[in-house]
């Protein structure tokens, strides 16, 4: 079991690596594709770009597609999982049962003020929690299902060196590969899961 010192060491290492690779930008998942288009690809979770599952078979398809790409990105590596909560004050509110269940063992890593272009008067603080875990197909079902059902957002899964990031959302996942060559391999392998839109979204 990780000690308090282990957790602090992990957080410090993550912060340093994040600054080296991402600069001062906070982890806002939907902004990553714009900033890293050279290594980005988006996969949709269901045929014909359907956004939400209607039955158990479609829910299985969503998980199968997630795990197929996760396996290719991370293999047997440990990964970090980031989840977020929001509040109108700088201090985070007590976490609800869902957030604790989808990211067990996670600790607060970063809090920052979020901007809402649609409502500039609204003050929202984002609080990012992180945990490190070994994983296998099936182990992230609660997390991925919550994202697919729009019950969780701003989720980031990545390796410790931040070379690859997986950003699931309700409807699919954005992937930041190591480089454009790796991205192209993934895109070609799962071409049936791509968007028909010229932008790839």
């Amino acid at each position: 079991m990780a000690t308090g010192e282990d957790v602090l060491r992990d957080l410090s290492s993550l912060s340093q690596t994040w600054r080296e690779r991402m600069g001062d930008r906070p982890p806002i998942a939907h902004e990553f594709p714009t900033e890293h288009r050279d290594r980005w690809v988006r996969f949709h979770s269901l045929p014909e770009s359907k956004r939400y599952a209607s039955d158990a078979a479609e829910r299985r398809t969503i998980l199968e597609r997630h795990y197929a790409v996760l396996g290719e990105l991370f293999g047997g590596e440990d990964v970090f999982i980031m989840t977020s909560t929001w509040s109108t004050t700088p201090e985070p509110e007590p976490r609800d049962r869902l957030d604790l269940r989808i990211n067990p063992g996670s600790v607060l890593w970063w809090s920052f003020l979020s901007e809402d272009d649609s409502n500039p008067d609204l003050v929202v603080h984002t609080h990012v929690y992180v945990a490190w875990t070994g994983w296998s197909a099936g182990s992230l079902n609660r997390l991925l299902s919550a994202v697919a059902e729009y019950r969780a957002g701003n989720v980031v899964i990545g390796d410790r060196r931040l070379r690859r990031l997986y950003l699931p959302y309700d409807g699919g996942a954005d992937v930041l590969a190591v480089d454009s060559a790796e991205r192209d391999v993934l895109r070609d392998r799962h071409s049936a899961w791509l968007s028909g839109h010229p932008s790839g979204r």
Side-chain angles (χ1 to χ4, degrees):
M1 179 177 294
T3 66
E5 289 184 0
D6 293 333
V7 171
L8 289 174
R9 191 179 303 114
D10 282 342
L11 290 175
S12 177
S13 177
L14 175 61
S15 296
Q16 179 179 343
T17 305
W18 188 274
R19 286 192 299 270
E20 291 170 355
R21 296 189 65 85
M22 302 294 183
D24 295 326
R25 296 298 297 257
I28 304 174
H30 70 268
E31 293 184 356
F32 290 161
T34 303
E35 299 170 359
H36 303 278
R37 291 195 67 85
D38 59 318
R39 56 192 185 104
W40 164 79
V41 62
R42 170 170 288 183
F43 297 117
H44 286 179
S45 294
L46 289 169
E48 301 180 3
S49 299
K50 183 179 179 182
R51 197 167 188 92
Y52 298 107
S54 300
D55 54 35
E58 289 184 341
R59 288 190 286 274
R60 285 194 299 272
T61 297
I62 289 172
L63 292 175
E64 287 167 359
R65 289 190 179 188
H66 279 308
Y67 283 122
V69 180
L70 284 166
E72 292 168 26
L73 288 172
F74 303 117
E77 288 185 75
D78 286 354
V79 297
F80 68 75
I81 298 174
M82 295 180 188
T83 54
S84 296
T85 65
W86 293 267
S87 68
T88 56
T89 62
E91 293 298 318
E93 297 176 357
R95 299 165 74 187
D96 62 26
R97 183 177 299 177
L98 172 65
D99 194 60
L100 293 170
R101 292 182 69 187
I102 64 176
N103 199 7
S106 57
V107 294
L108 181 63
W109 174 49
W110 194 340
S111 294
F112 55 90
L113 186 63
S114 308
E115 297 181 358
D116 187 340
D117 294 334
S118 64
N119 187 354
D121 295 326
L122 180 64
V123 177
V124 177
H125 296 266
T126 299
H127 310 283
V128 180
Y129 294 82
V130 63
W132 290 264
T133 183
W135 71 279
S136 59
S139 65
L140 303 181
N141 283 9
R142 284 179 177 168
L143 172 70
L144 297 171
S145 295
V147 172
E149 296 164 5
Y150 199 50
R151 294 185 294 125
N154 200 44
V155 171
V156 180
I157 301 171
D159 64 277
R160 285 182 176 267
R161 292 179 293 170
L162 293 171
R163 299 176 73 239
R164 300 176 176 91
L165 297 180
Y166 190 77
L167 317 166
Y169 69 94
D170 58 317
D174 291 315
V175 175
L176 298 187
V178 170
D179 52 31
S180 59
E182 182 178 80
R183 183 270 315 273
D184 291 348
V185 170
L186 285 168
R187 183 181 59 197
D188 294 345
R189 185 175 293 145
H190 303 295
S191 59
W193 304 351
L194 299 174
S195 167
H197 193 278
S199 70
R201 288 185 172 272

